[in-house]
Amino acid sequence: MKFDVILRVGTKLILPFVLLFALYVQMHGDYGPGGGFQAGVIAAGMIILYAIIFGVRRAKEIAPQRVVEIMIPLGVLIYAGTGVVSMFLGSNFLDYSHFAHDQLHAHEWGIFIVELGVLVTVAGTMTAMFYAFSERGR
Amino acid sequence: METFVITVLLTLLAIVTVAIIRQRNMYSVVILSSVYSFLMASVMLVLDAVDVAMTEASVGAGISTVILLATLYLTGTREYPTARGTGIPLFVSVVVGAALVWGTFELPAFGLADTVIHKHTAPLYIEMSQKHQMPPNIVTAVLADFRSFDTMGEVTVIFTAGIGVLMLLSGRRRRDEVEVVKVTESVETFGDDVADENEPDGPNGSAA
Amino acid sequence: MELLHVFAQHYNFFITIFLMVSGLYVVIARGNMVKKLIGLGLFQTSVYLIYLTPAKIIGGTPPIVDKAYTVYSNPLPHVLILTAIVVGVATLALGLALTVRIHEAYGTVEEDEIFAKEGEI
């Protein structure tokens, strides 16, 4: 597949829009369908598409294995850390009311950070799983 | 109209399921399960579950297909018939299915607004999310705000599964040892099986 | 005629049960482990349908608040199933990783052959 021009050029054209769509799904999750889970999977799908067309070795140059493996626990830490911060601010665990002065912005901030944690964990896990399976085949 | 569309989609799902069961080439099975996931995503879209449809289309049809294909590359693509008969599994399935169908007649009909499920927590969530100025998408509001603790558990499950996969697959493969064992076994005890597998229509031969 | 009416109203549940039973059959009757995991996936998706079918209101809209609509489908099952799908693929990958390791240890993923080798050893 390495020498197929249409696949290579087509993939290069599509890739930025896939990432853009992932970010749109992530950021627009409050107003339309979407959120961290879907965005994480779409972002991982971008890396997997790149790896299938150009080879896993080149995919690891844009998403190094070490970074991907750090992302898996990092997302959980972001999520749980949000809860701990909200406890220090004087409300319950994962209660976002003290993140800003008015309720609207407080909930928006809380949901944004928590969804970011979900995105990081899901994208990291899916990419790391793909790397693990493809490495095994060598 | 919604009922008609969903009836057609569900019938297609049943047909694809029969094809998945009957097909013995695993590549075809994986591609059919990808088709199944897209049909399921369409059903979810008609059932008003837009977030779930998006997840099923990206996860079920995308990631799980890729991972299944990667596994097939490592394990081989042919499914052989088992020596056991299909009588007992068929009997168990039919009995379980009959019991479930019998229980179904007590359930409320599809699409009614005044059933129990719509009376308890759901109106509260819809009302509260408007009162507290939550985001317009109620699913996101419930997922990341009302039931945030629940979602943290789910993220932890994904984390655990990812760590498990990495632990199982990232270690150094003991290739030489495996090869040696395989060779001796095939010579001494498994000569018959290997000979069967090498034939073009081996599966049928080895089953008998 | 009455029975036909009830059948039409519960068609979703019947197809859901058919999918569930098919998944159960594949898990019990087939020896190939990858096929078993796909059967488990069939079972899993039928459970998604069981949750989502009662949540639908005919004439309702997806649960995204807007002034133009008043009737929304029930958002709670959507939330539960949304996370269940992602957790489902994570556990599927774990099962496939185990299958790969079994293939490396025994040289096959067919249950009968694995049992035969266990007996020999």
Side-chain angles (χ1 to χ4, degrees), chain C residues 45-67:
Chain C
T45 41
S46 78
V47 174
Y48 304 158
L49 269 187
I50 285 186
Y51 269 72
L52 292 178
T53 303
K56 165 78 179 163
I57 297 174
I58 289 180
T61 51
I64 296 171
V65 176
D66 193 86
K67 288 204 170 52

Side-chain angles (χ1 to χ4, degrees), chain B residues 9 12-17 19-20 27-43 56-57 60-62 64-65 68, chain C residues 38 42 45:
Chain B
L9 285 174
L12 282 174
L13 263 183
I15 294 168
V16 172
T17 309
I20 288 176
Y27 268 128
S28 310
V29 170
V30 170
I31 298 305
L32 279 171
S33 75
S34 176
V35 172
Y36 177 91
S37 286
F38 269 122
L39 279 172
M40 186 58 92
S42 313
V43 170
E56 176 72 24
S64 64
T65 306
L68 278 168
Chain C
I38 289 175
L42 289 180
T45 41

Side-chain angles (χ1 to χ4, degrees), chain B residues 41 43-54, chain C residues 52 62-63 73 78:
Chain B
V43 170
M44 286 162 174
L45 199 64
V46 183
L47 288 173
D48 281 353
V50 279
D51 292 81
V52 188
M54 195 178 222
Chain C
L52 292 178
S73 292
H78 300 182

